């Protein structure tokens, strides 16, 4: 029963973030959007990781992020290893493609990749600093998988939606992402919730910085032609 509740809440959190992404991008605009090259790149690498696992039985042992093993590369390569079985692997690939595409259409490709990288590196650093959580920011359960970085990235879309909407129902949806994430971590020790909380916070910082920069540019006096 505990595993079922864990999976249901984890899935529900992702559904909320995807709906936030659809809301901030615009559901009716998807067909007119350009190809999301950052999302395609991340997904292709993740699929390549799965194919490598199928072709090489030692891939997980060599590339996961088990802290008991040495190797500077593990924090990066483990993101593209999948260890949740067939359904878990497909879920991770599908959600990575969907979330990264929505993120690129809102944040742009370079910032999407930067957020994804932050989702790989930042949670473990914050966990060590605060004395909470453990392992790298990949699959928070067992040192491999793309879900942690994907949930981190997805939470930035919830922040963007919260900053944009004024409708109470939509505000509740967006604000519910960090709230549910924190509750999941406290009640279930579910790392997906914790990394989502982190992602929401970083998304807020970046959104505020972009807004400040935009206002500063708008307030800058325009020099007219000189006689």
């Amino acid at each position: 029963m505990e595993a079922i509740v864990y999976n249901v809440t984890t899935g529900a959190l992702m559904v909320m973030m995807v709906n936030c992404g659809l809301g901030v991008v615009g559901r009716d605009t998807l067909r007119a959007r350009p190809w999301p090259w950052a999302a395609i790149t991340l997904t292709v690498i993740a699929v390549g990781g799965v194919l490598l696992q199928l072709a090489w039985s030692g891939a997980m042992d060599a590339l996961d992020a088990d802290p008991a093993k040495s190797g500077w590369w593990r924090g990066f390569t483990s993101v593209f290893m999948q260890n949740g079985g067939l359904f878990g692997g497909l879920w991770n690939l599908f959600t990575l493609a969907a979330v990264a595409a929505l993120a690129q259409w809102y944040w742009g490709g370079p910032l999407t990749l930067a957020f994804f990288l932050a989702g790989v590196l930042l949670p473990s650093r914050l966990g060590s600093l605060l004395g909470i959580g453990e392992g790298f920011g990949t699959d928070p359960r067992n040192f491999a998988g793309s879900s942690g970085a994907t949930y981190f990235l997805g939470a930035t879309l919830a922040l963007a939606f919260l900053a944009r909407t004024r409708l109470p129902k939509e505000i509740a949806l967006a604000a519910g992402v960090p709230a549910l994430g924190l509750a999941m971590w406290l009640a279930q020790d579910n790392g997906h919730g914790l990394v989502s909380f982190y992602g929401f916070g970083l998304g807020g910082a970046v959104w505020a910085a972009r807004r400040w920069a935009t206002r500063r540019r708008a307030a800058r006096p325009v020099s007219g032609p000189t006689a």
Side-chain angles (χ1 to χ4, degrees), residues 97-135:
V99 167
L102 292 169
Q104 178 168 347
W105 289 328
Y106 178 77
W107 294 110
L111 193 50
T112 293
L113 294 177
F115 275 135
F116 188 83
L117 181 61
V120 174
L121 299 176
L122 187 61
S124 62
R125 272 62 179 182
L126 286 175
S128 298
L129 180 65
L130 301 175
I132 57 177
E134 54 183 313

Side-chain angles (χ1 to χ4, degrees), residues 7 73 76 78 97 113 141-142 144 146 167-168 193-194 198:
N7 290 332
W73 62 87
F76 302 96
S78 59
L113 294 177
R141 293 169 295 177
N142 42 20
S146 57
L167 299 177
L194 184 60
Y198 289 156

Side-chain angles (χ1 to χ4, degrees), residues 6 41 49 63 69 71 75 80 94 96 107 137 144 147 160 179 198 207 215-216:
Y6 183 102
T41 299
L63 302 175
K69 304 171 185 175
F80 302 105
F94 175 77
L96 171 59
W107 294 110
S147 63
Y198 289 156
W207 179 87
R215 288 183 171 181
R216 187 174 183 182

Side-chain angles (χ1 to χ4, degrees), residues 22 112 202:
L22 291 170
T112 293
L202 181 61

Side-chain angles (χ1 to χ4, degrees), residues 161-223:
F161 193 42
L162 180 63
R164 176 177 176 173
T165 187
R166 294 295 180 270
L167 299 177
K169 184 177 180 180
E170 294 179 345
I171 291 173
L173 172 65
V177 167
L180 176 59
L182 191 59
M184 286 165 54
W185 179 67
L186 292 173
Q188 303 173 328
D189 195 24
N190 189 333
H192 296 90
L194 184 60
V195 296
S196 299
F197 187 79
Y198 289 156
F200 190 88
L202 181 61
V206 172
W207 179 87
R210 290 178 70 178
R211 188 177 185 186
W212 175 82
T214 299
R215 288 183 171 181
R216 187 174 183 182
R217 285 195 299 268
R220 187 177 302 167
V222 179
S223 301

Side-chain angles (χ1 to χ4, degrees), residues 13-14 16-18 20-21 95 99-100 103 107 115 147-160 177 195-196 199-200:
L13 182 61
M14 174 54 66
M16 291 170 66
M17 293 189 293
V18 169
C20 287
T95 54
V99 167
W107 294 110
F115 275 135
S147 63
T150 300
Y151 276 71
F152 185 101
L153 177 61
T156 68
L157 294 171
L159 180 282
V177 167
V195 296
S196 299
F200 190 88

